[in-house]
Amino acid sequence: MCPLVVDLVSLEPSNQVKDWGKCNKDCPMRRYLSNRDIQDIISNLALSNPTLAQTYNLTHRSVLGEDLVAIRLTANADKPRPLLKPLVRLSANMHGNEVVGREILVELAKLLVHGYSLDTRIRNIMDNVEVHLLPTMNPDGFNRATIGSCGGQDFLSGRWNENKIDLNRNFPSWFQLQLNKSIQQILETKEPEVRAVANWILSESWILGANFHDGAVLATFPWDFYKGDQRIGDHITEDDEVNRYITGEYADKHLTMTNGSACAKYSYLGPTANGAAWYPKNGTLKDFGYIVGSGLEYVFELSCCKFPSTYFLPREFENNRESLLGFLEIALTGVRGQLLDTKGQPVPGANIDFTKNEKLGGKPVTSNGRGEFWKILVPGKYSVLAESENCFKSDVLTIDVTSSSVKTVELVLKKLPNCL
């Protein structure tokens, strides 16, 4: 049975029998959406709500010519992004037979738009965060996948793209990025879907990125690969402390992720894991996004079965609803700021370091073309310093970071004495 009436304020369903009816295929999440369905739904959502949603195509189509359509969700979506408003990027279905994420991202888009005028929490997210969603990265593979098939690691299962390539092994790897080639030169050898998403990643200063998979129920953080002589254990980044906090938050808010029975074959991992320690792999979206960007990157594995029966879809959305909203709210914590020169003009391309107890509090971030920067940090007292070209530095700024709000700062870059 499905609710036919909901309270307009709380969005809770009616408790009257007459307000419930039998579900059919037209009810939300009662059937899997085709690629065309997804494009139509998010396009109509934007057309009907142009101040809250705008759709756009990524730079490349799939091998078979399908548009990769994303949706931008935020208050005043018909206007340029205000200074210091953080950007979050979510994508799904890069393995065509891992399908739960694509359905959840479509429902999330509807929730953020339709809930804007009804729910103060959703309004706060939309007013203060810019959210970009790509429901499917591999539409060609999805068309080969089979409902009810819980596994599949090959072309026929739908995992790979039409050129028989695993897209999550095709992004420029750490090793490739050490070569004497530009990122664009490396991308020329990659699959069109990878080029599209890589350009998407490079196009903005994302504070958070997440990619949704299926086949397990857990949250993973970088790195996904090993270098040097390491072959086992966690291969951690400079942001390991905050990575464990953010993945732990997603898992704790999820209705089943902390329950090992949700996917018994991987229960030994617990609800969160380092990507390499789970199983090492090169050329992943997560690692590429973390290397080339200033933000943080994650993978959320949602369903033990990759292509479950439609019966489970509403439950999967409810499993993830609180985790998703909480993840978006993380963008409203940490530090944000603008780097200016002594004439008050924005300074792009400078490094901003965050030090806690005389140790780096994560990877330095880089100011963008508007001089903006963001950094998500665990609570504590930090020293903030901007540097550029060895001849320009800001004064050291000491700040207190909490888990409940964002600290806004302004740094001024000054030329050092005796620098030519």
Side-chain angles (χ1 to χ4, degrees):
M1 300 290 284
C2 294
L4 304 177
V5 177
V6 297
D7 185 279
L8 292 180
V9 176
S10 69
L11 301 182
E12 292 292 327
S14 167
N15 59 10
Q16 300 297 313
V17 173
K18 65 181 178 60
D19 293 331
W20 288 70
K22 186 176 180 180
C23 299
N24 62 45
K25 65 179 182 179
D26 294 323
C27 292
M29 307 196 86
R30 296 311 305 167
R31 64 181 179 87
Y32 280 102
L33 302 172
S34 68
N35 296 323
R36 172 51 58 186
D37 289 335
I38 288 178
Q39 291 186 23
D40 288 346
I41 288 171
I42 63 175
S43 295
N44 289 334
L45 195 64
L47 287 171
S48 302
N49 305 272
T51 62
L52 297 175
Q54 299 279 321
T55 58
Y56 59 96
N57 293 348
L58 301 195
T59 57
H60 294 73
R61 294 176 173 174
S62 73
V63 173
L64 293 181
E66 292 265 13
D67 287 325
L68 302 182
V69 183
I71 186 167
R72 172 179 177 242
L73 301 156
T74 192
N76 301 311
D78 54 338
K79 298 176 182 178
R81 179 180 60 84
L83 194 70
L84 299 183
K85 194 173 193 178
L87 298 113
V88 178
R89 166 179 40 81
L90 307 179
S91 59
N93 197 215
M94 75 183 310
H95 292 146
N97 61 331
E98 298 175 17
V99 300
V100 172
R102 61 186 261 149
E103 301 292 332
I104 283 178
L105 290 191
V106 172
E107 283 302 304
L108 177 62
K110 293 192 287 186
L111 175 68
L112 293 176
V113 170
H114 297 318
Y116 181 75
S117 62
L118 303 172
D119 185 275
T120 55
R121 183 184 186 191
I122 291 172
R123 187 180 308 117
N124 182 59
I125 291 171
M126 292 285 278
D127 282 345
N128 295 292
V129 182
E130 184 169 302
V131 183
H132 292 242
L133 309 179
L134 177 69
T136 177
M137 181 179 166
N138 187 2
D140 300 345
F142 172 79
N143 285 338
R144 268 181 270 113
T146 304
I147 188 171
S149 178
C150 288
Q153 302 282 338
D154 56 14
F155 176 78
L156 292 178
S157 70
R159 178 184 175 94
W160 300 344
N161 80 339
E162 199 64 23
N163 284 338
K164 299 185 177 181
I165 298 295
D166 186 330
L167 299 178
N168 207 32
R169 306 294 184 273
N170 193 242
F171 281 83
S173 70
W174 183 88
F175 301 100
Q176 290 173 331
L177 291 168
Q178 308 311 303
L179 302 174
N180 189 27
K181 291 183 178 181
S182 70
I183 292 177
Q184 289 303 324
Q185 287 176 317
I186 297 171
L187 286 176
E188 287 175 2
T189 67
K190 303 300 182 179
E191 293 303 296
E193 299 92 344
V194 168
R195 277 178 276 164
V197 172
N199 286 332
W200 190 38
I201 291 170
L202 293 166
S203 71
E204 295 284 5
S205 302
W206 310 99
I207 188 173
L208 286 170
N211 190 21
F212 294 86
H213 286 254
D214 296 301
V217 183
L218 77 159
T220 70
F221 52 89
W223 297 105
D224 279 333
F225 76 103
Y226 291 126
K227 58 184 176 182
D229 295 329
Q230 185 178 1
R231 293 293 179 270
I232 60 172
D234 290 355
H235 181 196
I236 63 173
T237 70
E238 296 164 281
D239 289 291
D240 189 59
E241 187 177 14
V242 73
N243 283 340
R244 293 177 189 275
Y245 169 75
I246 290 175
T247 52
E249 284 289 293
Y250 194 96
D252 288 344
K253 289 180 170 68
H254 191 279
L255 297 185
T256 66
M257 198 170 279
T258 56
N259 183 345
S261 64
C263 194
K265 64 182 177 180
Y266 292 124
S267 61
Y268 68 93
L269 291 168
T272 69
N274 176 260
W278 182 13
Y279 66 100
K281 43 211 171 285
N282 286 306
T284 65
L285 185 161
K286 185 203 303 174
D287 283 355
F288 174 75
Y290 182 71
I291 293 168
V292 302
S294 289
L296 302 172
E297 296 281 337
Y298 303 98
V299 161
F300 298 128
E301 300 269 354
L302 304 183
S303 167
C304 199
C305 180
K306 295 186 176 185
F307 204 148
S309 163
T310 55
Y311 171 83
F312 296 100
L313 285 179
R315 186 179 72 182
E316 289 298 341
F317 183 72
E318 289 306 312
N319 284 346
N320 287 276
R321 185 183 189 278
E322 184 65 23
S323 296
L324 288 166
L325 295 179
F327 185 71
L328 298 180
E329 288 170 329
I330 287 173
L332 299 174
T333 64
V335 183
R336 65 182 182 184
Q338 188 178 29
L339 180 63
L340 305 173
D341 63 20
T342 53
K343 296 180 180 179
Q345 295 301 305
V347 178
N351 285 335
I352 298 96
D353 294 331
F354 300 83
T355 306
K356 179 184 179 185
N357 298 328
E358 299 183 352
K359 296 181 180 178
L360 277 179
K363 184 179 77 170
V365 299
T366 303
S367 57
N368 66 14
R370 301 165 78 183
E372 299 167 297
F373 61 89
W374 296 264
K375 184 68 178 177
I376 298 173
L377 299 161
V378 296
K381 187 181 291 292
Y382 292 85
S383 297
V384 186
L385 172 68
E387 297 182 90
S388 179
E389 301 174 354
N390 296 320
C391 267
F392 296 85
K393 282 188 178 183
S394 70
D395 292 334
V396 176
L397 182 66
T398 301
I399 58 171
D400 288 311
V401 173
T402 71
S403 61
S404 58
S405 62
V406 63
K407 184 76 173 179
T408 303
V409 302
E410 180 178 283
L411 299 178
V412 177
L413 207 60
K414 305 172 184 177
K415 191 171 184 178
L416 297 175
N418 304 320
C419 267
L420 298 178

